[in-house]
Amino acid sequence: MNIKLNDNFNNIKETYLFSDIAKKVNAYKEANPEASVIRMGIGDVTLPLPKPCVDALISASNEMGIKETFRGYPPEYGYDFLRDAISGHYTKLGVDIASSEVFVSDGAKSDLGNLPDILGDNPIIIPDPVYPVYVDSNLMSGRKITLVSGNEANGFLPEPPKDYNGASAIIYICSPNNPTGAVYTAEGLKAWVDFALATGSLIIFDSAYEAFISEDLPHTIYEIEGAKSCAIEVSSFSKFAGFTGTRCGWTIVPEELESNGVKLSKFWARRQATKFNGVSYPVQRAAEASLSEEGLKALSSNIEYYKHNAMLMADLFRSKGIYFTGGKNSPYIWLKCPGNMGGWEFFDYMLTRFGIVGTPGEGFGEAGNGFFRLTAFNSLENTEEAIRRLGDL
Ligand code: PLP
């Protein structure tokens, strides 16, 4: 073949993180067939869908089998019933989002990866460490990225760059953060909103873990004054209601968002109408059910379960004097590898000494070197067993 490929793909780091982890774990299990291994590296939910969601899936699927209630292509931006329910969710958070500003998707990852379609060649600012999709999707379209480092001094909540040249940029913020579990306060977010407004920049705010917040911290960027003029918010039913395998999310593009007189919502609507054919009717009904009173009750008991696991781990590391972020308002614990170990060295130590699998921090960016992510998505029993084993850490 002699076609031109998108050479930008050569600039994306091959990440063998999860396959390297699987290889190491398999080799360990082969050498130690008796060993019981507890996997705390997964970022996927493990509890089943809340019952109101399953009921809605079944009843909507039944409707699809009856001539009178069968539905074909769904609307590209989502059914009104779900856009209204998501708008209602924001009302409960004290924020005014019109249904027409809600774009239903098959998950946050697709929207985060697709948003560069409507954006030109702007500088990109991304905190490090963070969910790798922001960096990779921008590298794929040949963008130049500036990383702002999280570290112990800023509690893994980097502030806007002080010596910035003022160019309008695209800024990614994830709060609560994956992998660090760190959550911006209203003041911390306001600094980014003020920076975006001052430089004519756009914030892409990822609130996928919003439901894990229990303290008085912002659940949505729109709690910050001025954010509707500078921020798109991308969110998901994945961690909120256990939809990682069911697939549904949403993106808010406020009407106020304009660049040089062009509405961003117009471009996003055009992009979605051209390249996306919507989310299936039963899945949208299930998503709607998750936002009902019964659905919210059921899903918050799942979230409390994970948060209890996170709290147990946080107590352990606190008692050992090990620096960590997260563990509260998040399913993630991000800890500093003891004894100045590197992430992979600590991975081997955790596996061979305690039979516990986590994720080395370098998998989430350079600033993750020497750190390690554990997740609260395992069962309570396994989490308690892991904590018992780590008594000797
Ligand atoms: N955003 C963050 C920060 C995530 O960690 C994840 C998944 O782990 C996603 C988005 C993806 O969400 P979805 O399942 O809706 O694609």
Side-chain angles (χ1 to χ4, degrees):
M1 223 185 265
N2 194 21
I3 57 162
K4 285 186 185 134
L5 292 175
N6 179 350
D7 286 336
N8 295 317
F9 277 66
N10 294 320
N11 302 330
I12 303 164
K13 248 203 249 147
E14 292 288 353
T15 158
Y16 300 114
L17 180 72
F18 287 100
S19 60
D20 284 350
I21 290 175
K23 267 187 225 149
K24 278 178 179 268
V25 174
N26 290 342
Y28 174 74
K29 287 202 80 168
E30 247 166 56
N32 305 275
E34 318 288 71
S36 94
V37 170
I38 303 178
R39 289 169 200 269
M40 304 185 86
I42 42 164
D44 197 353
V45 296
T46 49
L47 293 173
L49 284 181
K51 186 165 183 309
C53 299
V54 177
D55 290 346
L57 270 176
I58 292 171
S59 108
S61 302
N62 284 332
E63 282 180 52
M64 296 295 269
I66 298 166
K67 190 167 190 322
E68 287 69 29
T69 50
F70 167 78
R71 300 188 188 222
Y73 285 121
E76 294 99 341
Y77 316 137
Y79 282 107
D80 285 345
F81 62 77
L82 183 54
R83 298 177 92 188
D84 291 346
I86 293 169
S87 161
H89 172 65
Y90 280 94
T91 308
K92 285 192 200 143
L93 297 176
V95 161
D96 218 9
I97 298 292
S99 302
S100 58
E101 296 173 311
V102 177
F103 293 81
V104 172
S105 72
D106 61 355
K109 191 191 225 178
S110 330
D111 281 5
L112 288 163
N114 293 331
L115 276 165
D117 271 10
I118 67 160
L119 304 168
D121 191 0
N122 303 286
I124 309 286
I125 298 177
I126 304 182
D128 177 25
V130 85
Y131 185 51
V133 173
Y134 317 149
V135 169
D136 289 352
S137 56
N138 279 292
L139 288 179
M140 282 174 187
S141 47
R143 301 288 182 255
K144 275 230 149 39
I145 297 171
T146 303
L147 295 172
V148 283
S149 281
N151 48 48
E152 272 184 83
N154 59 26
F156 285 93
L157 293 167
E159 290 172 11
K162 296 236 165 11
D163 50 353
Y164 190 64
N165 63 15
S168 301
I170 311 298
I171 303 159
Y172 286 79
I173 299 177
C174 178
S175 178
N177 180 281
N178 176 15
T180 68
V183 191
Y184 277 102
T185 60
E187 294 71 42
L189 276 189
K190 184 174 180 305
W192 278 109
V193 168
D194 290 348
F195 175 83
L197 292 171
T199 54
S201 298
L202 170 72
I203 294 175
I204 297 179
F205 186 76
D206 184 342
S207 65
Y209 296 94
E210 163 268 309
F212 285 82
I213 296 176
S214 39
E215 292 182 305
D216 185 18
L217 295 162
H219 288 248
T220 155
I221 186 99
Y222 303 119
E223 287 179 51
I224 312 302
E225 207 185 323
K228 279 193 97 180
S229 309
C230 67
I232 286 177
E233 181 161 298
V234 180
S235 201
S236 172
F237 289 96
S238 282
K239 310 294 155 88
F240 178 75
F243 273 49
T244 53
T246 308
R247 311 302 309 140
C248 198
W250 71 88
T251 287
I252 306 297
V253 188
E255 278 301 313
E256 288 93 324
L257 276 190
E258 281 190 12
S259 188
N260 300 314
V262 179
K263 280 189 186 296
L264 272 66
S265 58
K266 188 177 156 206
F267 274 26
W268 184 243
R270 192 73 181 88
R271 191 262 165 222
Q272 291 299 80
T274 303
K275 296 196 185 179
F276 181 61
N277 245 347
V279 177
S280 79
Y281 173 65
V283 167
Q284 291 198 53
R285 278 293 184 201
E288 178 195 28
S290 77
L291 292 168
S292 68
E293 205 173 305
E294 275 184 316
L296 288 171
K297 217 156 110 198
L299 69 86
S300 48
S301 102
N302 288 0
I303 286 173
E304 287 308 317
Y305 180 93
Y306 299 133
K307 274 170 52 175
H308 181 68
N309 288 345
M311 183 200 71
L312 295 177
M313 290 193 281
D315 286 347
L316 170 83
F317 294 120
R318 200 173 293 115
S319 76
K320 298 216 166 269
I322 293 173
Y323 173 85
F324 68 93
T325 52
K328 219 193 235 179
N329 308 304
S330 160
Y332 298 123
I333 299 257
W334 177 252
L335 63 123
K336 188 174 181 184
C337 303
N340 282 328
M341 276 190 244
W344 278 111
E345 197 186 346
F346 188 60
F347 174 92
D348 290 335
Y349 174 74
M350 288 283 275
L351 178 62
T352 53
R353 176 88 196 270
F354 303 111
I356 294 172
V357 181
T359 313
E362 36 271 69
F364 302 98
E366 292 236 323
N369 280 336
F371 282 80
F372 198 70
R373 190 191 77 172
L374 290 171
T375 86
F377 290 124
N378 215 309
S379 65
L380 173 61
E381 297 69 32
N382 281 346
T383 306
E384 284 175 339
E385 171 58 17
I387 286 166
R388 196 192 57 71
R389 292 183 193 178
L390 289 172
D392 286 344
L393 180 68

